[in-house]
């Protein structure tokens, strides 16, 4: 029986056990990333802007704690962290089925986002700790495939249960699967040790600052409360995030090394990551607003398929265009897709947006990690994961806030298309040298 050894003289775990226990949770995360984006307006408890908070609470917590999760994993091991993350994910995920207010539902989503941060950091540690490059490549490919299939399934699963009047199963079923996986992870993976330093610093103060600052900033973009309240929330969020960035710049072991953003070769990658991720989650939310059947959700569901296709398209583009030009092409495709959503149809829009997002994700991964020294890869990867999670939250808040203000999918699509076009244009000012 073939076995995968994560570190010499440490416990071995067969791949046929390791990979399912890693990637079934990733699949659940993919489902959850689109399950409620596409069905928030059909859930009876959510009213007004609470639906945006419910969807975004998950991404806000993920963005603020994904790096903290990796620090916890370094201390207690990826197997134990994975089991704990799945337990938190399952408990918080099932809680709305027993609760009856938008406030408690939203609080549960924040807790679930923290659980998924532990899951994703554990998966990254375990896959990165595989001893052979072929196994790591297989692991990363399965990671992307699992998440993409889950993201594509989310809208269809959500609509099927909502139409059947069984929306409570949207909370119970993923929680049951997560709890089962968590039990097996505790039994079979808790002995995995990657040999990481147990003294790795866990900066709780910085984590709290990131959570509060980003939460207030995103809250200001949404439509909960009057304009003065939203303005104050955004201003307070910016101030707290400024303190967070200052603290990270002075730290010898920062959670997120914001100093790397001063290098334009890294900054442009994080920039493209954030806006592509925001376009992805925001588009799913926007295109699902007026969907009233499984058939009308199909263009949204296959968006994840086009994102996967974008990774293959990159192989053709990077030999013909410079890295910055590739980013511009990807973001321009997103802008054209949003414009197509306003004037053409969702099938063309979904194809263009998915292709652009997929190219941006693949290019960002290749160029961000390939443009830094080997000693900085871990910090660059943390910046990458944080950028993706930040973009996911901002996308729902931005698209959702615009839709609530305009009450028009077409107008929202046109405005966001203009924003994406401007972002693509600004990439030309990058002066760093990107390498694969």
């Amino acid at each position: 029986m073939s076995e995968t050894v994560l570190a010499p003289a440490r416990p071995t775990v067969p791949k046929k056990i390791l990979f399912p226990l890693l990637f079934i949770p990733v699949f659940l995360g993919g489902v959850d990333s689109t399950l409620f984006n596409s069905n928030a307006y059909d859930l009876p408890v959510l009213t007004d802007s609470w639906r945006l908070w419910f969807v975004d609470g998950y991404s806000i917590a993920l963005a603020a704690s994904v790096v903290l999760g990796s620090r916890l994993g370094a201390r207690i091991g990826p197997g134990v962290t994975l089991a704990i993350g799945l337990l938190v994910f399952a408990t918080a995920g099932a809680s709305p089925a027993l609760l009856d207010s938008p406030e408690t539902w939203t609080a549960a989503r924040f807790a679930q986002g923290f659980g998924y941060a532990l899951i994703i950091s554990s998966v990254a540690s375990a896959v990165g700790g595989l001893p052979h490059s072929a196994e790591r490549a297989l692991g990363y490919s399965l990671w992307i495939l699992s998440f993409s299939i889950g993201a594509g399934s989310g809208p269809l699963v959500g609509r099927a249960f909502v139409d059947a009047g069984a929306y409570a199963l949207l909370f119970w079923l993923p929680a049951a699967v997560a709890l089962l996986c968590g039990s097996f992870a505790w039994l079979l993976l808790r002995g995995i040790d990657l040999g990481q330093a147990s003294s790795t610093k866990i900066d709780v103060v910085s984590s709290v600052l990131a959570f509060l600052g980003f939460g207030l900033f995103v809250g200001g973009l949404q439509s909960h409360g009057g304009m003065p309240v939203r303005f104050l929330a955004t201003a307070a969020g910016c101030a707290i995030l400024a303190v967070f960035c200052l603290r990270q710049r002075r730290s010898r072991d920062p959670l997120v090394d914001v100093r790397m953003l001063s290098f334009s070769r890294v900054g442009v990658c994080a920039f493209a990551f954030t806006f592509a991720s925001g376009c992805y989650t925001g588009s799913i939310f926007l295109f699902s607003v007026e969907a009233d059947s499984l058939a009308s959700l199909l263009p949204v569901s296959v968006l994840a398929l086009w994102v996967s296709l974008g990774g293959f398209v990159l192989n053709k583009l990077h030999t013909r265009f410079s890295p910055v030009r590739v980013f511009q092409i990807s973001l321009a495709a997103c802008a054209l897709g949003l414009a197509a959503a306003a004037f053409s149809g969702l099938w063309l829009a979904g194809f263009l947006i998915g292709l652009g997002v997929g190219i941006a994700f693949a290019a960002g991964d290749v160029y961000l990690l390939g443009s830094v020294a080997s000693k900085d890869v871990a910090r660059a990867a943390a910046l990458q994961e944080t950028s993706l999670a930040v973009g996911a939250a901002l996308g729902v808040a931005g698209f959702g806030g615009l839709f609530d203000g305009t009450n028009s999918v077409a107008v929202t699509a046109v405005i966001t298309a203009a924003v994406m076009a401007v972002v693509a244009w600004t990439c030309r000012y990058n002066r760093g040298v990107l390498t694969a």
Side-chain angles (χ1 to χ4, degrees):
M1 179 172 60
S2 176
E3 293 184 335
T4 299
V5 181
L6 295 181
R10 298 187 183 110
T12 61
V13 182
K15 283 186 290 186
K16 66 181 181 180
I17 294 176
L18 177 65
F19 282 171
L21 288 180
L22 292 179
F23 299 124
I24 290 176
V26 171
F27 170 81
L28 292 177
V31 170
D32 204 81
S33 71
T34 58
L35 181 65
F36 298 110
N37 285 29
S38 54
N39 293 282
Y41 280 83
D42 298 299
L43 297 177
V45 174
L46 300 178
T47 57
D48 299 326
S49 65
W50 279 111
R51 62 178 59 92
L52 294 181
W53 274 111
F54 177 75
V55 174
D56 245 0
Y58 179 87
S59 298
I60 292 171
L62 177 60
S65 53
V66 64
V67 180
L68 175 63
S70 67
R71 298 297 177 89
L72 292 172
R75 287 201 168 193
I76 62 179
V80 176
T81 307
L82 178 62
I84 294 174
L86 284 165
L87 177 61
V88 174
F89 185 90
T91 303
S95 295
L98 303 174
L99 303 171
D100 60 358
S101 71
E103 296 87 350
T104 53
W105 275 34
T106 302
R109 284 289 285 175
F110 273 93
Q112 191 177 20
F114 175 72
Y116 191 65
L118 296 180
I119 292 171
I120 209 68
S121 61
S122 303
V123 173
S125 296
V127 173
L130 293 170
H132 305 299
S133 59
E135 292 177 330
R136 289 194 297 273
L138 175 61
Y140 287 124
S141 298
L142 290 174
W143 185 347
I144 295 172
L145 180 64
S146 301
F147 187 87
S148 297
I149 293 175
S153 304
L156 298 179
V157 171
R159 174 56 57 182
F161 284 116
V162 168
D163 287 350
Y167 75 88
L169 291 177
L170 298 178
F171 307 112
W172 287 120
L173 287 181
V177 176
L179 189 60
L180 183 63
C181 288
S183 300
F184 280 109
W186 176 259
L187 292 173
L188 301 174
L189 303 183
R190 69 177 185 270
I192 293 178
D193 177 17
L194 300 181
Q196 296 170 298
S198 61
S199 60
T200 301
K201 182 180 179 182
I202 298 177
D203 192 345
V204 177
V205 173
S206 291
S207 298
V208 172
L209 288 173
F211 182 82
L212 290 177
F214 189 55
L216 287 170
F217 178 77
V218 172
L221 297 178
Q222 297 178 3
S223 57
H224 191 72
M227 185 58 67
V229 174
R230 294 167 60 186
F231 177 79
L232 289 175
T234 301
C238 289
I240 294 174
L241 287 176
V243 174
F244 169 81
C245 291
L246 182 63
R247 184 179 176 87
Q248 297 308 292
R249 289 183 66 87
R250 293 179 174 178
S251 174
R252 294 183 178 180
D253 186 22
L255 282 178
V256 180
D257 195 350
V258 296
R259 292 168 295 192
M260 298 184 77
L261 294 175
S262 63
F263 297 96
S264 54
R265 65 179 183 273
V266 175
V268 72
C269 296
F271 190 61
F273 259 132
T274 300
F275 279 91
S277 179
C279 183
Y280 179 58
T281 58
S283 296
I284 291 174
F285 182 86
L286 181 67
F287 298 162
S288 303
V289 166
E290 297 180 346
D292 56 4
S293 66
L294 283 173
S296 61
L297 273 175
L298 282 177
V300 179
S301 182
V302 299
L303 187 58
L305 174 63
W306 306 136
V307 171
S308 300
L309 178 63
F312 295 98
V313 175
L314 174 67
N315 294 327
K316 301 294 183 180
L317 292 179
H318 86 275
T319 59
R320 300 186 179 186
F321 301 99
S322 67
V324 173
R325 187 70 68 187
V326 169
F327 282 127
Q328 289 186 296
I329 292 172
S330 67
L331 296 173
C334 292
L336 288 174
L338 289 166
F343 302 110
S344 178
L346 292 187
W347 283 103
L348 177 60
F351 174 75
L352 291 171
I353 292 171
L355 200 63
V357 170
I359 294 171
F361 283 178
D365 188 22
V366 170
Y367 296 131
L368 189 148
L369 299 182
S371 299
V372 299
S374 57
K375 65 183 179 63
D376 294 325
V377 167
R379 291 188 297 159
L383 182 64
Q384 170 186 326
E385 292 300 323
T386 302
S387 299
L388 287 171
V390 166
L394 290 178
V396 174
F399 280 65
L402 283 172
F403 177 75
D404 280 352
T406 63
N407 200 32
S408 170
V409 171
V411 173
T412 301
V414 169
I415 294 173
T416 50
V419 172
M420 294 300 294
V422 171
V423 171
W425 178 75
T426 57
C427 287
R428 68 190 297 268
Y429 292 105
N430 171 72
R431 293 293 181 264
V433 179
L434 294 166
T435 58

